[in-house]
Amino acid sequence: MDKPTETRVEETATEARQGNLGRQVLKVLIASLLLALVVWGIVEFFGQSLETSGTIQAPEKPAPGEMSPANNAAPPSN
């Protein structure tokens, strides 16, 4: 059986690099940043509209002696 002979390839660091950094990577980074800013703006807009659309009312306090979940074990005071 013949073994294939190994040939050694000499390459510079730039030639050995698997991908090029350049305009393609820059385009992806800029597009993702712009998309993140658009989503953030949408969330801010709808978050503020939800805050101002209505007020949250506090639950009514029970009258003295009335049973409520907080004081259901206590007897009514008369």
Side-chain angles (χ1 to χ4, degrees):
M1 287 189 154
D2 292 329
K3 291 185 179 180
T5 58
E6 293 183 26
T7 58
R8 188 176 177 124
V9 178
E10 298 281 333
E11 292 181 339
T12 65
T14 304
E15 293 171 342
R17 188 182 301 152
Q18 290 192 8
N20 292 340
L21 297 177
R23 292 195 187 273
Q24 295 293 335
V25 174
L26 183 61
K27 288 179 185 178
V28 169
L29 292 175
I30 290 174
S32 61
L33 181 63
L34 290 175
L35 182 62
L37 289 174
V38 167
V39 170
W40 187 0
I42 291 171
V43 169
E44 284 287 329
F45 176 75
F46 283 112
Q48 288 179 358
S49 69
L50 289 176
E51 280 182 11
T52 59
S53 66
T55 59
I56 299 174
Q57 296 179 359
E60 295 180 20
K61 293 182 180 179
E66 191 176 308
M67 299 297 279
S68 70
N71 66 358
N72 60 2
S77 59
N78 288 340

